[in-house]
């Protein structure tokens, strides 16, 4: 059985389409756990309609605690062998569950990842027939899957970085969340915070290059919201990702795992540099000063600890950045290949 977890907050405009796309699934052995996270519109009433008409649907209501908390509530209630997440303003192809469960069983996979497609606000065409025989299948190792979190490698898919990051493009075995839930208190980047550890623990993943998930590009989508101070939580994600790949490299003792640690070390430094730039552009006053200081301290600490290898040019760049951050922030807008 698949436990489908759908966090819900003020999505009355899209919720019917989302839930109807679940009801349209050709695979029927599932439960749907609706978590109403303190909605103030008619989302709760819509949920109750579906609970009444289909016994596979259940509703849990809670005060507004955020997306991570709502997902965790659903995970704790899940009874299925597999878990699948859907965002309540999106919808899924009617063949999605049949295809991913079939592949997970065939390949003994802990994670099956599908492709996605951005759709307009009025999209409702979730009944397009898709056949498993037409779906390209590829296996990603732990190293390649984690690199896909940072690399826009179009050899694999147009949006491989986004597809690998978000949780709603993946069927997980339930054990994947046995010891690690979503970090509550984070209002952004919850998916980023769990992605690398789920990949490492799963031993990689199977990737199906077929857009079976339709994410709606509305103006309130977090994917479309520009930089805000909340996005600084990405720094915590990279810090944990580096820790994760260092642990993996220590365990594997392979050239590729060591190269992955070097790569994530560099990407973490780039993340710090880019967020320093955004702090300069978007923040002001005491808060800006404190955040800039925190960034510089983190970069200095990473250069001192040297958890991975850097080329001479990259090491020189970040060393000079610590010495002359204001100058390098200005240069960021015409940055060279070192941080490209």
């Amino acid at each position: 059985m698949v436990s489908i977890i759908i966090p819900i907050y003020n999505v009355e405009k899209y919720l019917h389409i989302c839930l109807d796309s679940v009801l349209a699934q050709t695979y029927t052995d599932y439960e749907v756990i609706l978590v109403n996270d303190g909605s103030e519109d008619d989302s709760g009433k819509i949920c109750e309609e579906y609970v009444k008409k289909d016994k596979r649907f259940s509703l849990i209501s809670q005060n507004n605690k955020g997306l991570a908390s709502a997902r965790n509530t659903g995970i704790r209630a899940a009874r299925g062998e597999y878990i699948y997440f859907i965002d309540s303003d999106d919808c899924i192809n009617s063949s999605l569950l049949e295809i991913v469960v079939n592949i997970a069983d065939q390949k003994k996979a802990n994670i099956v990842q599908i492709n996605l497609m951005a759709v307009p606000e009025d999209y409702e065409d979730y009944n397009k027939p898709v056949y498993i025989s037409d779906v390209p299948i590829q296996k990603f190792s732990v190293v390649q899957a984690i690199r896909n979190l940072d690399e826009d490698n179009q050899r694999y898919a147009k949006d491989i970085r986004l597809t690998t990051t978000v949780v709603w493009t993946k069927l997980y075995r339930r054990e994947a969340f046995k010891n690690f839930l979503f970090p509550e208190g984070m209002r952004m980047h919850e998916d980023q915070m769990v992605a690398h550890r789920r990949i490492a623990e799963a031993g990689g993943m199977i990737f199906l290059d077929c857009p079976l998930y339709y994410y709606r590009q509305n103006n309130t989508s977090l994917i479309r919201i520009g930089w805000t101070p909340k996005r600084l939580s990405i720094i915590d994600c990279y810090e944990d990702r580096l820790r994760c790949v260092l642990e993996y490299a220590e365990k594997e003792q392979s050239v590729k795992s060591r190269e992955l640690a070097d790569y994530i070390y560099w990407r973490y430094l780039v993340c710090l540099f880019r967020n320093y730039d955004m702090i300069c552009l978007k923040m002001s006053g005491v808060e800006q000063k404190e955040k800039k200081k925190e960034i510089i301290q983190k970069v200095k600490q990473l250069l001192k600890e040297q958890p991975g290898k850097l080329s001479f040019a990259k090491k020189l760049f970040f060393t000079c950045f610590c010495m002359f951050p204001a100058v390098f922030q200005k240069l960021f807008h015409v940055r060279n290949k070192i941080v490209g």
Side-chain angles (χ1 to χ4, degrees), residues 13 19 23 41 80 143 181 260 271 292 317:
K13 182 177 179 180
L19 301 185
L23 284 174
D41 62 2
V143 170
L181 300 177
L260 175 65
C271 170
K292 286 165 60 176
F317 177 90

Side-chain angles (χ1 to χ4, degrees), residues 273 276-277 280 288 292 296 320-333:
F273 179 71
Y276 183 94
D277 176 65
C280 292
Q288 184 201 65
K292 286 165 60 176
I296 297 300
C320 292
F321 166 60
C322 290
M323 297 170 64
F324 311 104
V327 173
F328 276 73
Q329 186 266 332
K330 294 277 193 287
L331 290 174
F332 176 66
H333 300 283

Side-chain angles (χ1 to χ4, degrees), residues 9 37-38 62-70 73 184-187:
Y9 180 71
D37 190 41
Q62 63 182 37
N63 294 330
N64 181 243
K65 298 178 182 178
L67 182 59
S69 173
T73 296
E184 298 189 21
M186 291 182 71
R187 288 287 175 167

Side-chain angles (χ1 to χ4, degrees), residues 79-90:
R79 298 178 293 116
E81 178 184 1
Y82 297 106
I83 289 178
Y84 191 82
F85 298 97
I86 305 176
D87 277 4
S88 51
D89 54 350
D90 297 332

Side-chain angles (χ1 to χ4, degrees), residues 76-340:
R76 295 186 186 102
R79 298 178 293 116
E81 178 184 1
Y82 297 106
I83 289 178
Y84 191 82
F85 298 97
I86 305 176
D87 277 4
S88 51
D89 54 350
D90 297 332
C91 59
I92 58 176
N93 184 276
S94 56
S95 301
L96 186 151
L97 290 182
E98 181 179 358
I99 290 173
V100 293
V101 171
N102 190 299
I103 294 297
D105 289 343
Q106 280 184 29
K107 304 293 185 180
K108 308 298 181 186
N110 291 315
I111 302 177
V112 176
Q113 175 177 308
I114 59 171
N115 212 335
L116 50 76
M117 182 170 68
V119 297
E121 280 200 77
D122 58 352
Y123 188 84
E124 299 183 10
D125 189 14
Y126 51 79
N127 270 319
K128 302 179 194 174
V130 179
Y131 304 100
I132 194 168
S133 58
D134 298 328
V135 177
I137 302 172
Q138 184 167 0
K139 179 173 175 55
F140 287 140
S141 66
V142 170
V143 170
Q144 186 57 59
I146 291 180
R147 286 186 75 99
N148 287 345
L149 292 167
D150 275 284
E151 288 184 328
D152 290 316
N153 193 332
Q154 296 197 9
R155 286 187 304 153
Y156 303 127
K158 180 181 177 182
D159 293 312
I160 191 65
R161 187 173 178 179
L162 174 61
T163 304
T164 308
T165 298
V166 296
V167 297
W168 27 266
T169 54
K170 302 174 189 70
L171 180 78
Y172 299 90
R173 289 195 185 273
R174 186 179 170 191
E175 287 78 6
F177 289 93
K178 185 176 181 181
N179 298 314
F180 188 85
L181 300 177
F182 290 89
E184 298 189 21
M186 291 182 71
R187 288 287 175 167
M188 297 193 78
H189 301 300
E190 301 95 337
D191 293 6
Q192 287 262 20
M193 201 65 177
V194 303
H196 46 274
R197 291 201 176 270
R198 298 290 67 72
I199 290 169
E201 291 177 8
M205 63 171 66
I206 298 296
F207 175 58
L208 310 181
D209 189 10
C210 183
L212 299 172
Y213 189 98
Y214 310 124
Y215 79 95
R216 206 176 301 277
Q217 292 188 305
N218 60 73
N219 291 330
T220 60
S221 172
L222 289 179
I223 291 175
R224 300 190 69 186
I225 293 174
W227 193 94
T228 74
K230 291 180 181 179
R231 288 200 179 275
L232 289 171
S233 60
I234 190 64
I235 293 171
D236 297 325
C237 299
Y238 269 98
E239 184 174 336
D240 190 68
R241 187 173 301 168
L242 177 59
R243 190 181 303 118
C244 173
V245 298
L246 288 170
E247 293 168 2
Y248 180 75
E250 180 66 23
K251 182 179 72 172
E252 292 296 310
Q253 293 293 310
S254 66
V255 173
K256 287 187 176 180
S257 64
R258 186 62 252 178
E259 288 175 345
L260 175 65
D262 295 342
Y263 176 72
I264 298 301
Y265 172 40
W266 170 56
R267 294 299 301 173
Y268 182 20
L269 286 166
V270 171
C271 170
L272 290 168
F273 179 71
R274 287 177 171 165
N275 277 279
Y276 183 94
D277 176 65
M278 295 310 297
I279 289 167
C280 292
L281 295 174
K282 303 290 187 179
M283 299 176 70
S284 60
V286 175
E287 186 179 21
Q288 184 201 65
K289 185 177 180 180
E290 290 177 350
K291 292 298 181 184
K292 286 165 60 176
K293 184 178 179 181
E294 288 176 17
I295 295 284
I296 297 300
Q297 288 176 338
K298 284 181 180 292
V299 174
K300 286 181 177 179
Q301 189 65 29
L302 284 168
L303 293 175
K304 180 180 179 181
E305 294 175 355
Q306 299 184 56
K309 294 179 181 178
L310 290 176
S311 68
F312 174 77
K314 291 173 182 176
K315 187 173 182 179
L316 178 62
F317 177 90
F318 288 107
T319 300
C320 292
F321 166 60
C322 290
M323 297 170 64
F324 311 104
V327 173
F328 276 73
Q329 186 266 332
K330 294 277 193 287
L331 290 174
F332 176 66
H333 300 283
V334 288
R335 62 190 184 279
N336 57 31
K337 293 181 181 180
I338 296 175
V339 293

